[in-house]
Amino acid sequence: MALVKISQILEGKCTEQKVTVRGWVYRKREGKALIFLVIRDSTGVIQSTIKKDSPCWNDAQKLTIESSLILTGTAREDTRAPGGFEIGAEAIETVGLAENFPISKDKSEEFIRDMRHLWLRSRKMNLVMKVRAEVLEAAREYFKKQTFTEVSPPMFISAAVEGGSTLFALKYFEQELYLTQSSQLYLEILMYSLENVYCIAPSFRAEKSRTIRHLTEYWHMEGEWAFADMNDLMAFEEGLMAHICQTVAAKCEKEFKELGADIEKVKAVKTPFPRITYKEAIQRLKPKNPALDWGADLGYEDEKVLAEDFGKPFFVYDYPTAIKAFYCKTYKDHPEVAMSVDMMVPRIGEISTGGAREDNKDLLIQRMKEQGLKPEDYEWYLDLRRYGTVPHVGFGMGLERLLVWMLDLENIIDAIPFPRTTRRFYP
Ligand code: 4AD
Ligand code: MG
């Protein structure tokens, strides 16, 4: 008798063998002479049948949805069973008998969201979390291959990165601190030691918009490296994206299928990506949005329209300086344009922003003042330009936005186990 995972049975590796599985009751159907128990573990779900004359009939009868159990029986192929296999149960050990489980098919979306701590056991969330883990692993693999060192920046910070309107302030003993909106400035510090650095860490945004692409806490994959320009940046980012897509598509076929997500669009992601300038984006959008002029920020709707044209990931670069953060480097002979680039995908629009950083101390101070920031709040950041400044680039990609696109999720809250939004922070 072998202790096995449900996936091993479903892969046909235990057929006609005596097996033991440990898991939870996922569904139950009781007939006069037969009980069907669908059992789940971390790897999948399988049906088991209990006959009236079986010694475990009484145990099976008492079992409730989400009770934990250890079940022993014979694994067999059965075309009638979902997944094509089942276990003929011979012994059941009830580990934890569940009370009446609150989640059932007839419950509203809202109710299910309030029961997040229990809903994370669902097939959907189980599969999304597995793909999420593979995306993280593939990202790390790519950074490592490109000789990047993973670093751990702080989450408590003393000066804004991305502007005051989305900054979370908090009381830190006797003073005010903030939750970081991006680890970029800290990556810039570490770059002077390690050259190619990255982190995968939470970022926080006091974001009131309720859209399918906004959370107040999200996971941010950010990289920063020295002696590089915009072309290096776009080449790196598309390489990362293609590597994640190819790796995850190869490893997660089963997950995509069960989630009903279109894996073909992910498999189709190959370098190079189309690149258009912001100026060209405005020209393309103008017929549909006549009010859109050079200088305006692209809204979600604009980005979606652009992305529909391409039908796959692409870049928009060279944005107006006035709508970009203080650290963006500008072109010497036309400083109204900043070296900033967004990666966009269909349905979501922007999934990453990156660019070249202003490496000249005086220009940087000028940009800070233009944006109403106090250079004295950024003394340490200016020091980086005082001591051995170097041209450098970096970017940040939102992990959940990437997952929403890859897995065709309806809402970003399903891309993260414990979503934080204006209204949701429980548990
Ligand atoms: O465009 P953002 O604000 O750029 C930065 O933070 C740069 N400092 C990154 C860098 O250069 N290191 O954010 C980067 C990405 C966005 O493109 C988006 O994918 C994600 O972070 N993002 C969010 N994801 C979920 N919810 C939100 N509220 C997000 N805000 C940004
Ligand atoms: Mg951005």
Side-chain angles (χ1 to χ4, degrees), residues 161-163 230 278 294-298 303 316-330 335-344 350 352-357 367-368 370-371 373:
V161 194
E162 295 298 328
M230 286 286 278
Y278 164 88
W294 195 96
D297 208 354
L298 300 181
E303 292 180 358
V316 179
Y317 67 100
D318 283 1
Y319 280 80
T321 304
I323 56 168
K324 286 291 160 185
F326 71 94
Y327 51 71
C328 285
K329 188 176 167 123
T330 57
E336 72 285 1
V337 180
M339 299 178 198
S340 182
V341 54
D342 280 8
M343 188 192 289
M344 298 187 189
E350 174 194 336
S352 93
T353 292
R357 318 308 192 187
R367 297 267 293 125
M368 286 175 171
E370 279 166 14
Q371 299 211 357
L373 299 169

